[in-house]
Amino acid sequence: MRLKILIGAMMGLATISMAVGTEASAADLLSQQCVACHAVTKPEKASLERLWERKGPDLYYAGSKFNKPWLISWLQNPTTIRGGGVMYTKAVKAGADHSVDTIDPAQIAAHPKLSAADAAIAADLLMALKGEGLVTAGAFKNEPPGSMASMLFSKLRGCTSCHTAKAGGAPTSGPELYTGGDRLQPDFVHAYINNPQKFDAHTWMPSLGLNDADIQKLTGYISTLKSEKK
């Protein structure tokens, strides 16, 4: 279904809801505000300039990327996923006296919060955005990652250079992965590790040329990284 039709349908539902006293339409939020920072349709030109200037990650394949329960929860209480922002060079603060550069949290914009009702509507809308041809269903075989998977992530493949696997770590240039198992669909993780440039032509995440056995292990390991339930 084309996004315009989908937004129109959701806006119609939201209008009915508002008539009985619910909050403003999440469909309006998506069509009028989210597009200011996110691409909800596939960009016609995947230029380096567009990647450099965008304010938020692309969402045109959100339905193939996120787990819906996480999305509903996160939209109500957003946390920082990208410690260095979507373009980390804009948040880097030079260290004093030639010490190590750090990321300035003040440069990371807070994401707006939605009500429970709006979060549910927005999640439905986002989950309909599949980005056809990017993710292959069933690519992850759902096998136990094995005892070497953690070392593969942290040392052998250097994933921790850009991603944190434990809460409380220093901000990094890539998104945190200590909630990766809650947030991300395993087939998406498999597809992205295999070929990041298929999603973002100029992304700085390298295509490592891993064999499928290693991709399966990394995907399985990331799927185990979940927030602690209180």
Side-chain angles (χ1 to χ4, degrees):
M1 180 182 293
R2 295 175 63 87
L3 180 65
K4 186 181 294 184
I5 296 174
L6 185 61
I7 289 177
M10 296 305 294
M11 287 179 68
L13 290 175
T15 301
I16 295 172
S17 297
M18 288 174 67
V20 295
T22 58
E23 298 184 34
S25 165
D28 285 340
L29 181 68
L30 183 67
S31 63
Q32 297 176 16
Q33 297 185 43
C34 296
V35 294
C37 297
H38 304 279
V40 296
T41 57
K42 185 176 181 179
E44 293 184 3
K45 295 182 179 180
S47 66
L48 181 59
E49 289 75 16
R50 190 195 77 85
L51 184 69
W52 188 266
E53 293 299 328
R54 70 181 182 179
K55 299 177 181 178
D58 294 341
L59 292 179
Y60 69 89
Y61 50 85
S64 297
K65 176 179 181 179
F66 296 117
N67 289 315
K68 186 177 178 180
W70 174 88
L71 192 57
I72 293 173
S73 176
W74 188 86
L75 287 170
Q76 295 175 71
N77 186 28
T79 57
T80 300
I81 295 173
R82 296 170 178 264
V86 69
M87 181 54 70
Y88 68 92
T89 55
K90 297 181 180 180
V92 169
K93 181 170 60 177
D97 300 324
H98 304 290
S99 63
V100 176
D101 292 347
T102 59
I103 292 172
D104 182 4
Q107 300 302 316
I108 311 301
H111 194 281
K113 294 183 178 182
L114 300 187
S115 68
D118 279 356
I121 295 173
D124 281 338
L125 196 57
L126 289 169
M127 293 304 294
L129 307 178
K130 297 296 186 181
E132 301 300 330
L134 292 175
V135 176
T136 301
F140 175 56
K141 305 306 180 185
N142 200 27
E143 298 175 353
S147 59
M148 291 293 293
S150 176
M151 184 176 293
L152 191 69
F153 179 91
S154 62
K155 295 182 179 180
L156 300 181
R157 297 306 179 190
C159 303
T160 51
S161 297
C162 300
H163 304 278
T164 52
K166 294 182 179 180
T172 52
S173 60
E176 57 87 353
L177 288 176
Y178 52 81
T179 64
D182 294 319
R183 184 171 78 249
L184 304 171
Q185 296 179 33
D187 286 336
F188 165 80
V189 176
H190 182 282
Y192 200 90
I193 293 173
N194 185 51
N195 187 1
Q197 284 69 33
K198 188 176 183 180
F199 295 83
D200 294 299
H202 301 285
T203 186
W204 46 89
M205 177 166 170
S207 181
L208 298 173
L210 302 180
N211 59 44
D212 190 62
D214 280 357
I215 296 175
Q216 294 287 340
K217 290 175 184 176
L218 286 170
T219 302
Y221 174 69
I222 291 169
S223 296
T224 69
L225 302 178
K226 299 183 178 183
S227 58
E228 295 183 4
K229 304 299 182 183
K230 297 182 179 179

